Amino acid sequence: MTSEHHSVTFSAGKFAGGFTMSLAEVKAIEFFPPAGLPAGAAKLGFRFGDKGTHSSRTLMLTELEAVLAAAPGAADRAAYAAAIIEGNCLEKPTASTRRLSNQRLGELYALDPFVVVFRVLRGLWDVDPNARPLLAMLAALARDPLFMASAGPVLSQHAGIEIQRAPIREALRKLVGERMNDDTLDKVVRNVSSSWTQTGHLTGRTFKHRQCVSAPPTAVAFALWLGNAAGFRGEELLTTGWIAALDCTATSARTLALEAKRIGLIDLRTAGDVVEFGLDRLDPGLGRK
């Protein structure tokens, strides 16, 4: 992935006020530092490229909740697969659909404690059930380039704005080039729009409108961890795309980070304008408490 994929931008959308917005006029949302991707990001569970699960599925939030409820926190990849395929925790009608669901959920969330992004997600999942849609969203952003490409056209809009398909489509086309035909691209637009509705960022069926989400400290802690894993440090962790995905400003993110510290999720030290985050609590590693 080249540096042009680090900021999500878009163009050619008509908005509620009747005006259009070009790529150059949209505020960039940075999920990775401009200098480039950290060398170890893929090893932590980030996925890059021009393919993603949203070519055929959505966020699958309901399915993820069912799988994690069916398998204990210490489950390995085989146990999650067994819960889906043999236990049919997703209540799919055929073995083939169960196997496909296992594959797609594995692509999007890993479902593997050896994948650090999933390990952190799983550790936070039961802390606050209300945070689950946003936790799933953050993990999916890290693991599905198609979903990440759709983020700018959604996140950069103010509450109440009707979200147009053209900017999302263009952002996706910029990522995939000619690899997808128009029909497939339109399907991806529908899928990502459904996912942003599942997370609470969009509302409505035929016409989607932007609405703001309310981020809990648990989700902010995960966003800080992802930002750190992506290569950001210190104060800049409060202004990343991961934080923007929670509709947080730097000020509100800092307040929520202090609450995350209070409940024991992270460590945080401030000295004047200097902020230092300790995020090791979110991933104590396999086999350690």
Side-chain angles (χ1 to χ4, degrees):
M1 177 178 286
T2 62
S3 60
E4 70 175 351
H5 293 123
H6 298 166
S7 60
V8 181
T9 54
F10 63 97
S11 66
K14 187 175 181 181
F15 294 86
F19 62 90
T20 60
M21 184 171 287
S22 68
L23 281 166
E25 294 172 313
V26 176
K27 180 181 178 181
I29 295 175
E30 303 282 356
F31 289 98
F32 299 95
L37 302 172
K43 292 183 178 180
L44 295 175
F46 289 78
R47 299 179 73 200
F48 307 106
D50 60 358
K51 298 179 181 179
T53 308
H54 277 80
S55 61
S56 61
R57 296 293 182 94
T58 70
L59 196 69
M60 297 188 288
L61 177 60
T62 300
E63 290 91 335
L64 179 64
E65 289 178 324
V67 172
L68 297 187
D76 59 13
R77 182 66 184 94
Y80 289 115
I84 297 168
I85 298 171
E86 299 168 15
N88 196 19
C89 66
L90 303 182
E91 299 182 351
K92 299 295 183 180
T94 66
S96 62
T97 56
R98 294 195 289 272
R99 286 192 296 269
L100 185 58
S101 294
N102 175 61
Q103 178 184 339
R104 296 292 183 253
L105 282 165
E107 290 172 358
L108 196 52
Y109 299 107
L111 301 183
D112 186 343
F114 284 96
V115 177
V116 187
V117 168
F118 174 73
R119 195 158 69 228
V120 176
L121 169 69
R122 189 66 185 89
L124 291 169
W125 192 253
D126 295 324
V127 174
D128 178 7
N130 291 325
R132 290 173 179 174
L134 297 179
L135 294 175
M137 173 203 69
L138 290 168
L141 285 170
R143 291 186 54 80
D144 189 339
L146 297 177
F147 189 45
M148 180 178 283
S150 76
V154 174
L155 299 178
S156 60
Q157 298 311 302
H158 297 293
I161 293 291
E162 182 181 335
I163 301 298
Q164 303 297 315
R165 296 167 60 87
I168 300 176
R169 196 175 191 277
E170 182 175 339
L172 290 165
R173 176 63 76 191
K174 185 179 179 182
L175 175 68
V176 305
E178 298 303 315
R179 188 180 64 80
M180 290 184 179
N181 61 36
D182 290 344
D183 288 342
T184 301
L185 204 61
D186 286 340
K187 181 179 181 181
V188 178
V189 172
R190 291 193 296 271
N191 286 343
V192 297
S193 297
S194 174
S195 290
W196 289 114
T197 303
Q198 292 175 48
T199 66
H201 290 79
L202 299 182
T203 185
R205 299 190 65 177
T206 303
F207 301 101
K208 301 286 188 181
H209 289 80
R210 180 73 158 92
Q211 64 180 6
C212 288
V213 298
S214 180
T218 311
V220 170
F222 194 21
L224 291 170
W225 185 90
L226 288 164
N228 183 74
F232 295 102
R233 296 293 181 267
E235 186 83 14
E236 63 185 7
L237 284 170
L238 297 172
T239 57
T240 69
W242 310 100
I243 291 295
L246 301 175
D247 288 333
C248 286
T249 63
T251 300
S252 62
R254 184 167 177 161
T255 299
L256 289 163
L258 288 169
E259 179 63 17
K261 174 188 176 181
R262 188 190 69 79
I263 61 179
L265 296 178
I266 65 173
D267 294 311
L268 171 61
R269 292 191 301 173
T270 60
D273 293 333
V274 178
V275 180
E276 293 183 3
F277 294 97
L279 305 170
D280 291 345
R281 291 174 183 264
L282 294 172
D283 178 33
L286 288 172
R288 302 199 304 276
K289 299 295 185 181

